[in-house]
Coordinates of all heavy atoms in Angstrom, one line a residue:
M1 N 78.4 205.6 20.4 CA 77.0 206.0 21.1 C 77.0 207.4 21.1 O 78.0 208.1 21.1 CB 77.3 205.3 22.5 CG 75.9 205.6 23.3 SD 75.8 205.0 25.0 CE 77.2 203.8 25.3
K2 N 75.7 207.8 20.9 CA 75.4 209.2 20.9 C 74.2 209.4 21.8 O 73.2 208.8 21.7 CB 75.0 209.6 19.4 CG 74.4 210.9 19.3 CD 75.5 211.8 18.7 CE 75.0 213.1 18.3 NZ 75.8 214.2 18.4
V3 N 74.4 210.5 22.6 CA 73.2 211.0 23.6 C 72.3 211.9 22.7 O 72.9 212.8 22.2 CB 73.8 211.5 24.9 CG1 72.6 212.1 25.5 CG2 74.7 210.5 25.7
V4 N 71.0 211.6 22.6 CA 70.2 212.4 21.9 C 69.1 212.9 22.8 O 68.8 212.3 23.9 CB 69.5 211.8 20.7 CG1 70.6 211.6 19.7 CG2 68.8 210.6 21.0
P5 N 68.3 213.9 22.6 CA 67.2 214.5 23.5 C 66.0 213.6 23.8 O 65.4 213.9 25.0 CB 66.8 215.8 22.8 CG 67.2 215.7 21.4 CD 68.3 214.7 21.3
D6 N 65.7 212.7 22.9 CA 64.4 211.9 23.1 C 64.3 210.6 22.3 O 65.2 210.5 21.4 CB 63.2 212.8 22.8 CG 63.2 213.5 21.4 OD1 63.6 212.7 20.5 OD2 62.7 214.6 21.3
L7 N 63.5 209.9 22.5 CA 63.3 208.5 21.9 C 63.1 208.6 20.4 O 63.8 207.9 19.7 CB 62.2 207.7 22.7 CG 62.2 206.4 22.1 CD1 63.4 205.5 22.2 CD2 61.1 205.5 22.9
P8 N 62.2 209.5 20.0 CA 62.0 209.5 18.5 C 63.2 209.8 17.9 O 63.5 209.4 16.7 CB 60.9 210.6 18.4 CG 60.0 210.6 19.7 CD 61.1 210.3 20.7
T9 N 64.1 210.9 18.3 CA 65.3 211.2 17.7 C 66.3 210.1 17.8 O 67.0 209.8 16.8 CB 65.9 212.4 18.5 OG1 65.0 213.5 18.5 CG2 67.2 212.9 17.9
A10 N 66.3 209.4 18.8 CA 67.2 208.2 18.9 C 66.9 207.2 17.9 O 67.7 206.5 17.2 CB 67.1 207.6 20.3
L11 N 65.5 206.9 17.7 CA 65.2 205.7 16.8 C 65.4 206.4 15.3 O 65.9 205.4 14.5 CB 63.6 205.4 17.0 CG 63.3 204.9 18.4 CD1 61.8 204.7 18.5 CD2 64.0 203.6 18.5
R12 N 65.2 207.5 15.1 CA 65.5 208.0 13.8 C 66.9 207.9 13.5 O 67.4 207.7 12.4 CB 65.0 209.4 13.7 CG 65.1 210.1 12.2 CD 64.5 211.5 12.0 NE 65.0 212.4 13.1 CZ 64.3 213.0 14.1 NH1 63.1 212.5 14.3 NH2 64.8 213.8 14.9
R13 N 67.9 208.3 14.5 CA 69.3 208.3 14.3 C 69.6 206.8 14.0 O 70.6 206.5 13.1 CB 70.0 208.9 15.4 CG 71.5 208.6 15.3 CD 72.3 209.5 16.4 NE 73.7 209.1 16.4 CZ 74.5 209.7 15.6 NH1 74.2 210.6 14.7 NH2 75.9 209.3 15.6
L14 N 69.1 205.9 14.6 CA 69.5 204.4 14.6 C 69.1 204.1 13.0 O 69.9 203.4 12.5 CB 68.5 203.6 15.5 CG 68.7 202.1 15.4 CD1 70.1 201.7 15.9 CD2 67.6 201.5 16.3
E15 N 67.8 204.4 12.5 CA 67.4 203.9 11.3 C 68.2 204.7 10.2 O 68.5 204.1 9.1 CB 65.9 204.2 11.2 CG 65.1 203.2 11.9 CD 65.2 201.9 11.5 OE1 65.4 201.6 10.3 OE2 65.0 201.0 12.3
E16 N 68.5 206.0 10.4 CA 69.1 206.8 9.3 C 70.7 206.8 9.2 O 71.1 207.1 8.3 CB 68.5 208.2 9.4 CG 67.0 208.3 9.1 CD 66.6 209.7 9.2 OE1 67.2 210.7 9.6 OE2 65.3 209.8 9.2
H17 N 71.2 206.6 10.5 CA 72.6 206.8 10.6 C 73.4 205.4 10.9 O 74.2 204.9 10.2 CB 73.0 207.8 11.5 CG 74.5 208.1 11.6 ND1 75.1 208.9 10.7 CD2 75.3 207.8 12.6 CE1 76.4 208.8 11.0 NE2 76.6 208.3 12.2
A18 N 73.0 204.8 12.1 CA 73.8 203.8 12.6 C 73.6 202.5 11.8 O 74.5 201.8 11.4 CB 73.5 203.6 14.0
I19 N 72.3 202.1 11.4 CA 72.0 200.9 10.7 C 72.6 200.9 9.4 O 73.2 199.9 9.0 CB 70.5 200.5 10.8 CG1 70.1 200.1 12.1 CG2 70.2 199.4 9.7 CD1 70.8 199.0 12.7
P20 N 72.6 201.9 8.5 CA 73.2 201.9 7.2 C 74.7 201.7 7.3 O 75.3 201.0 6.6 CB 72.8 203.4 6.7 CG 71.6 203.7 7.2 CD 71.6 203.1 8.7
L21 N 75.3 202.3 8.3 CA 76.9 202.1 8.4 C 77.1 200.7 9.1 O 78.1 200.1 8.3 CB 77.3 203.1 9.5 CG 77.4 204.6 9.1 CD1 77.8 205.5 10.1 CD2 78.3 204.8 8.0
E22 N 76.4 200.2 9.9 CA 76.7 198.8 10.3 C 76.3 197.8 9.4 O 77.0 196.8 9.2 CB 75.8 198.7 11.7 CG 75.9 197.2 12.1 CD 77.2 196.6 12.4 OE1 78.2 197.3 12.6 OE2 77.3 195.3 12.4
S23 N 75.2 198.1 8.6 CA 74.8 197.1 7.6 C 76.0 197.0 6.5 O 76.3 195.9 6.0 CB 73.5 197.7 6.9 OG 73.0 196.5 6.2
A24 N 76.5 198.1 6.1 CA 77.7 198.2 5.1 C 78.7 197.3 5.7 O 79.4 196.6 5.0 CB 78.1 199.6 4.8
R25 N 79.1 197.7 7.0 CA 80.2 196.8 7.6 C 79.9 195.3 7.6 O 80.9 194.5 7.3 CB 80.5 197.2 9.1 CG 81.8 196.7 9.7 CD 81.6 196.8 11.2 NE 80.6 196.0 11.7 CZ 80.7 194.6 11.9 NH1 81.8 194.0 11.6 NH2 79.7 193.9 12.5
A26 N 78.8 195.0 8.0 CA 78.3 193.5 8.1 C 78.4 192.9 6.7 O 78.7 191.7 6.5 CB 76.9 193.4 8.7
Q27 N 77.9 193.7 5.7 CA 77.9 193.1 4.4 C 79.3 192.8 3.9 O 79.5 191.7 3.4 CB 77.2 194.2 3.3 CG 77.1 193.7 1.9 CD 76.0 192.7 1.8 OE1 75.0 192.6 2.4 NE2 76.3 191.6 1.1
E28 N 80.2 193.6 4.2 CA 81.6 193.5 3.8 C 82.3 192.3 4.7 O 83.0 191.5 4.1 CB 82.4 194.8 4.1 CG 83.9 194.6 4.0 CD 84.4 195.3 2.7 OE1 83.6 195.9 2.0 OE2 85.6 195.0 2.3
A29 N 82.0 192.2 5.9 CA 82.6 191.2 6.8 C 81.9 189.9 6.7 O 82.7 188.9 6.7 CB 82.5 191.7 8.2
Y30 N 80.7 189.9 6.4 CA 79.9 188.5 6.6 C 79.0 188.2 5.3 O 78.4 187.2 5.2 CB 78.9 188.5 7.8 CG 79.5 188.9 9.1 CD1 79.2 190.0 9.8 CD2 80.6 188.2 9.5 CE1 79.8 190.4 10.9 CE2 81.3 188.6 10.8 CZ 80.8 189.8 11.5 OH 81.4 190.1 12.7
G31 N 79.0 189.1 4.4 CA 78.1 188.9 3.2 C 76.7 189.0 3.3 O 76.0 188.7 2.5
Q32 N 76.3 189.6 4.5 CA 74.8 189.8 4.6 C 74.6 191.1 5.4 O 75.5 191.5 6.2 CB 74.2 188.8 5.4 CG 74.6 188.4 6.8 CD 74.1 187.3 7.4 OE1 73.7 186.2 6.6 NE2 73.9 187.2 8.7
P33 N 73.6 191.9 5.1 CA 73.4 193.2 5.9 C 73.0 193.0 7.3 O 72.7 191.8 7.8 CB 72.1 193.8 5.1 CG 71.4 192.5 4.6 CD 72.5 191.5 4.2
S34 N 73.0 194.0 8.1 CA 72.6 194.0 9.5 C 71.1 194.4 9.7 O 70.5 194.9 8.7 CB 73.5 194.9 10.3 OG 73.3 194.8 11.7
A35 N 70.6 194.2 10.8 CA 69.2 194.5 11.1 C 69.0 194.7 12.6 O 69.8 194.3 13.4 CB 68.1 193.4 10.7
V36 N 68.0 195.4 13.0 CA 67.7 195.7 14.4 C 66.8 194.5 14.8 O 65.8 194.4 14.4 CB 66.9 197.1 14.7 CG1 66.7 197.1 16.2 CG2 67.7 198.3 14.2
N37 N 67.5 193.6 15.6 CA 66.6 192.5 16.1 C 66.1 192.6 17.8 O 65.3 192.1 18.0 CB 67.5 191.2 15.9 CG 67.7 190.8 14.5 OD1 66.8 191.0 13.7 ND2 68.9 190.5 14.2
Q38 N 67.1 193.3 18.4 CA 66.6 193.5 19.9 C 67.0 194.9 20.2 O 68.2 195.5 19.7 CB 67.4 192.6 20.8 CG 67.2 191.2 20.5 CD 67.9 190.3 21.5 OE1 68.9 190.6 22.1 NE2 67.4 188.9 21.6
L39 N 66.3 195.6 20.9 CA 66.4 197.1 21.2 C 66.0 197.2 22.6 O 64.8 196.8 23.0 CB 65.4 198.0 20.3 CG 65.5 199.5 20.5 CD1 66.9 199.9 20.0 CD2 64.5 200.0 19.6
L40 N 66.9 197.7 23.4 CA 66.7 198.0 24.8 C 66.5 199.5 25.0 O 67.3 200.3 24.6 CB 67.9 197.7 25.7 CG 67.9 198.0 27.1 CD1 66.8 197.2 27.8 CD2 69.2 197.7 27.8
V41 N 65.3 199.9 25.6 CA 64.9 201.2 25.9 C 64.7 201.4 27.4 O 63.9 200.7 28.1 CB 63.6 201.6 25.2 CG1 63.2 203.1 25.7 CG2 63.7 201.4 23.7
L42 N 65.6 202.3 28.0 CA 65.5 202.5 29.4 C 64.6 203.7 29.5 O 64.9 204.9 29.2 CB 66.9 202.9 30.1 CG 67.9 201.8 29.8 CD1 69.2 202.2 30.4 CD2 67.4 200.5 30.6
N43 N 63.3 203.6 30.0 CA 62.3 204.5 29.9 C 62.3 205.5 31.1 O 62.1 206.7 30.9 CB 61.0 203.8 29.9 CG 59.9 204.7 29.6 OD1 60.1 205.8 28.7 ND2 58.7 204.5 30.1
A44 N 62.6 204.9 32.3 CA 62.5 205.9 33.5 C 63.4 205.1 34.6 O 63.6 204.1 34.7 CB 61.2 206.0 34.1
Q45 N 64.0 206.0 35.5 CA 64.8 205.5 36.5 C 63.9 205.0 37.7 O 63.0 205.8 38.1 CB 65.7 206.6 37.0 CG 66.8 207.0 36.0 CD 67.7 205.9 35.7 OE1 67.8 205.0 36.3 NE2 68.4 206.0 34.5
P46 N 64.0 203.9 38.3 CA 63.2 203.4 39.4 C 63.3 204.4 40.7 O 62.3 204.5 41.4 CB 63.6 202.1 39.6 CG 64.8 201.9 38.9 CD 64.9 202.9 37.9
R47 N 64.5 204.8 40.9 CA 64.7 205.7 42.1 C 65.4 207.0 41.7 O 66.4 206.9 40.8 CB 65.5 205.0 43.0 CG 64.6 203.9 43.8 CD 65.6 203.2 44.9 NE 66.1 202.1 44.2 CZ 67.1 201.4 44.8 NH1 67.7 201.7 45.9 NH2 67.5 200.3 44.2
T48 N 65.2 208.1 42.2 CA 65.8 209.4 41.8 C 67.4 209.1 42.4 O 67.7 208.6 43.4 CB 65.3 210.4 42.7 OG1 63.8 210.5 42.4 CG2 65.9 211.9 42.5
G49 N 68.2 209.6 41.4 CA 69.7 209.5 41.8 C 70.3 208.3 41.4 O 71.5 208.1 41.4
Q50 N 69.5 207.3 41.0 CA 70.2 206.0 40.5 C 70.4 206.0 38.9 O 69.4 206.6 38.2 CB 69.2 204.8 40.8 CG 69.8 203.5 40.4 CD 68.8 202.5 40.9 OE1 67.7 202.7 41.3 NE2 69.1 201.2 40.6
G51 N 71.5 205.7 38.5 CA 71.7 205.5 37.1 C 72.4 204.4 36.7 O 72.6 203.4 37.4
F52 N 72.7 204.2 35.5 CA 73.3 203.0 34.8 C 74.7 203.4 34.2 O 74.8 204.4 33.6 CB 72.5 202.4 33.7 CG 71.2 201.9 34.2 CD1 70.0 202.6 34.3 CD2 71.1 200.6 34.6 CE1 68.8 202.0 34.6 CE2 70.0 200.0 35.0 CZ 68.9 200.8 35.0
V53 N 75.7 202.6 34.4 CA 76.9 202.8 33.7 C 77.3 201.5 33.0 O 77.3 200.4 33.5 CB 78.1 203.0 34.8 CG1 79.4 203.1 34.1 CG2 77.8 204.3 35.6
L54 N 77.6 201.6 31.7 CA 78.0 200.4 30.9 C 79.4 200.6 30.8 O 80.0 201.5 30.3 CB 77.3 200.5 29.5 CG 75.8 200.6 29.5 CD1 75.3 200.8 28.1 CD2 75.3 199.3 30.2
L55 N 80.1 199.5 31.1 CA 81.6 199.3 30.9 C 81.9 198.4 29.7 O 81.4 197.2 29.8 CB 82.3 199.0 32.2 CG 82.0 199.8 33.4 CD1 82.6 199.0 34.6 CD2 82.6 201.0 33.3
L56 N 82.4 198.9 28.7 CA 82.7 198.1 27.5 C 84.1 198.0 27.1 O 84.9 199.0 27.4 CB 82.0 198.8 26.3 CG 80.6 199.2 26.6 CD1 80.0 200.1 25.4 CD2 79.7 197.9 26.5
R57 N 84.5 196.8 26.8 CA 85.9 196.6 26.5 C 86.4 197.0 25.1 O 87.5 197.0 24.8 CB 86.2 195.1 26.6 CG 86.0 194.5 28.0 CD 86.3 193.0 28.0 NE 86.0 192.6 29.4 CZ 86.9 192.6 30.4 NH1 88.1 193.2 30.4 NH2 86.5 192.1 31.6
E58 N 85.4 197.5 24.3 CA 85.8 197.9 22.9 C 84.9 199.2 22.5 O 83.8 199.2 23.0 CB 85.7 196.8 22.0 CG 84.4 196.1 21.8 CD 84.3 195.0 21.0 OE1 85.0 193.9 21.2 OE2 83.5 194.9 20.0
A59 N 85.3 199.8 21.5 CA 84.4 200.8 21.0 C 83.3 200.4 20.3 O 83.3 199.2 19.6 CB 85.2 201.7 20.1
I60 N 82.0 201.0 20.4 CA 80.8 200.5 19.8 C 80.2 201.7 19.0 O 80.4 202.9 19.5 CB 79.9 199.8 20.8 CG1 79.5 200.9 21.9 CG2 80.4 198.6 21.4 CD1 78.2 200.5 22.7
G61 N 79.3 201.4 18.2 CA 78.5 202.4 17.6 C 79.2 203.3 16.5 O 80.3 203.2 16.3
F62 N 78.3 204.2 16.0 CA 78.7 205.0 15.0 C 78.4 206.5 15.4 O 77.3 206.8 15.8 CB 78.0 204.7 13.6 CG 78.5 203.4 13.1 CD1 77.7 202.2 13.2 CD2 79.7 203.2 12.4 CE1 78.1 201.1 12.7 CE2 80.1 202.0 11.9 CZ 79.2 200.9 12.2

């Protein structure tokens, strides 16, 4: 996971960096490339001071 300054930068990083790496990994593992099928965008916090924490059991992303 990488924190970037804005949504356009995040989408560009996804298309130019993460998807090519994941697609190569999926091709090797499953014999087919990867694609973006679902994308979650957190646009604004409903209340000031409230945030989100994701607890993951394994490393993700590139």
Side-chain angles (χ1 to χ4, degrees):
M1 187 178 338
K2 171 101 173 155
V3 176
V4 294
D6 54 36
L7 183 58
T9 304
L11 295 175
R12 186 172 56 251
R13 180 173 170 81
L14 181 68
E15 291 293 329
E16 295 175 0
H17 183 73
I19 290 298
L21 291 173
E22 171 57 18
S23 195
R25 186 201 68 78
Q27 185 71 44
E28 173 104 7
Y30 309 117
Q32 62 185 33
S34 190
V36 177
N37 294 316
Q38 295 180 345
L39 182 64
L40 172 64
V41 176
L42 302 174
N43 192 41
Q45 298 296 336
R47 286 184 265 167
T48 303
Q50 182 179 2
F52 293 93
V53 175
L54 301 175
L55 301 176
L56 307 169
R57 295 184 187 273
E58 60 186 61
I60 62 167
F62 296 100

